[in-house]
Amino acid sequence: MRTMKLGKSTLDVPVVSVGCMRINSLERNEAEHFVQTAMELGANFFDHADIYGRGECEEIFADAIHMNDDVREKIILQSKCGIRNGMFDFSKEHILESVDGILKRLKTDYLDVLLLHRPDTLMEPEEVAEAFDILESSGKVRNFGVSNQNPMQIQLLKKSVKQTIVANQLQLSITNATMISNGFNVNMENEAAVNRDASVLEFCRLHDITIQPWSPFQYGFFEGVFLGNEKFPELNQKIDEIAKKYEVSNTTIAIAWLLRHPAQMQPVIGTMNEGRLKDCVKASEIKLTREEWYSIFRAAGNVLP
């Protein structure tokens, strides 16, 4: 698996992250085999969140990988906190309590990366800074980032937080690419010109913040996958055509499309299917041409001005 630097950190990470939100859908032996397959493929970056299965997913993962000191040195663990039942909570107390719970469930002493999950409008930057300082000085968290935040929310956080923000996890796929499409339509009077993302793509590139696209195969908000979907005939025809050229699957091309962007993104894949996992990893070996990238973008219904 090809690797990259995560933001301005010293971490060398695989270009594809394994999302563990659905690992609780597997039987114990299936989870063990899936995790082992990921390791064999070089996909040793595992993304978690304390709300996935209400913590059960972290526990299942720790058991599946047979967590111990030797195993821990071979993997990169990222988790997220801040979402609670009916609210978001970036208070100092909740962040510290959440991390302790995450570490206990993952059976480890530290996280390589902690992300703040979904913006909390009641956030006090000073409280977050205190929490981050405690987590860093205690060795419980080595790197910090955010999820689903726009540039001004990150800037507000940085008013007090001294740690480098290394990643921003954002929804992005071929069919959910407003952060890309509005950049083509600056000063235009059309729907695509609406800047819904506050130029987050350019902001993250300027500040060396790695974008981690989540739901890279979904359209809408968990409405379904676009691959093989009759709602997207032109897109699937184009993806299948390019997949045939490279002798890979349509899954591989969908991930290769994200990896082709010079922002050096790290897609978070949520599949628990070993075959699709292998297809996703294969994308790290393919670099689409400029013509191929744009043809896929247009086939998704995007019109260039």
Side-chain angles (χ1 to χ4, degrees):
M1 168 90 78
R2 181 162 55 87
T3 62
M4 56 180 273
K5 288 292 184 185
L6 187 70
K8 291 182 178 180
S9 77
T10 59
L11 284 176
D12 283 311
V13 301
V15 296
V16 172
S17 167
V18 180
C20 296
M21 184 174 72
R22 298 181 180 89
I23 198 169
N24 60 345
S25 67
L26 303 179
E27 297 296 331
R28 179 186 174 90
N29 65 317
E30 292 175 327
E32 288 180 349
H33 199 271
F34 177 82
V35 171
Q36 183 59 40
T37 299
M39 294 292 288
E40 291 171 356
L41 293 170
N44 67 335
F45 187 108
F46 298 97
D47 174 76
H48 296 269
D50 59 358
I51 63 162
Y52 294 166
R54 296 185 177 180
E56 182 185 36
C57 292
E58 291 169 329
E59 293 176 341
I60 291 173
F61 173 83
D63 289 340
I65 204 167
H66 302 288
M67 187 70 79
N68 57 40
D69 291 343
D70 182 56
V71 169
R72 185 65 185 91
E73 292 179 2
K74 298 175 182 177
I75 63 176
I76 303 168
L77 288 179
Q78 172 176 281
S79 195
K80 302 179 287 290
C81 71
I83 298 180
R84 298 179 64 183
N85 186 27
M87 59 187 280
F88 304 129
D89 190 347
F90 285 0
S91 66
K92 173 183 174 182
E93 291 75 17
H94 182 69
I95 292 172
L96 295 178
E97 181 181 348
S98 295
V99 171
D100 284 343
I102 290 168
L103 296 178
K104 181 179 180 180
R105 292 188 293 271
L106 287 174
K107 298 180 180 178
T108 183
D109 296 326
Y110 69 95
L111 287 176
D112 294 286
V113 189
L114 173 71
L115 304 184
L116 295 179
H117 209 174
R118 290 282 173 193
D120 173 19
T121 195
L122 301 183
M123 174 191 76
E124 298 282 359
E126 298 82 3
E127 277 196 54
V128 177
E130 289 179 19
F132 281 11
D133 286 346
I134 291 171
L135 293 172
E136 183 179 50
S137 63
S138 65
K140 292 181 179 180
V141 177
R142 297 185 175 181
N143 296 279
F144 300 84
V146 297
S147 182
N148 307 297
Q149 293 204 15
N150 66 35
M152 291 306 292
Q153 288 167 331
I154 296 174
Q155 294 281 47
L156 176 60
L157 187 66
K158 289 296 294 176
K159 174 185 177 184
S160 300
V161 169
K162 68 181 182 183
Q163 288 79 11
T164 300
I165 301 300
V166 300
N168 188 6
Q169 203 167 105
L170 298 158
Q171 184 177 16
L172 176 62
S173 70
I174 296 170
T175 54
N176 286 54
T178 56
M179 71 174 71
I180 294 174
S181 60
N182 68 57
F184 289 120
N185 290 273
V186 174
N187 204 37
M188 301 288 289
E189 294 183 359
N190 55 23
E191 178 68 16
V194 178
N195 190 341
R196 294 180 172 83
D197 310 282
S199 300
V200 70
L201 172 60
E202 291 77 14
F203 177 86
C204 287
R205 293 185 70 183
L206 281 168
H207 294 272
D208 296 316
I209 298 172
T210 296
I211 291 176
Q212 296 178 329
W214 56 267
S215 290
F217 303 109
Q218 291 275 334
Y219 69 92
F221 189 69
F222 294 111
E223 291 180 39
V225 297
F226 56 80
L227 291 177
N229 192 320
E230 61 183 13
K231 292 182 179 181
F232 304 94
E234 185 179 349
L235 174 59
N236 278 284
Q237 181 180 353
K238 177 56 64 176
I239 289 176
D240 290 345
E241 173 190 316
I242 296 173
K244 183 177 181 180
K245 170 188 169 182
Y246 287 97
E247 300 182 332
V248 296
S249 72
N250 56 359
T251 295
T252 301
I253 296 303
I255 295 298
W257 187 83
L258 291 169
L259 295 180
R260 175 61 177 83
H261 199 282
Q264 298 185 41
M265 303 176 189
Q266 185 196 33
V268 181
I269 58 169
T271 184
M272 291 290 111
N273 179 286
E274 292 178 18
R276 285 196 288 273
L277 172 64
K278 293 176 181 178
D279 287 342
C280 291
V281 170
K282 185 74 174 178
S284 71
E285 303 171 12
I286 293 174
K287 184 176 181 179
L288 299 178
T289 66
R290 185 180 296 265
E291 290 78 11
E292 289 165 345
W293 190 94
Y294 272 99
S295 68
I296 292 172
F297 182 74
R298 295 197 309 274
N302 297 293
V303 178
L304 299 179

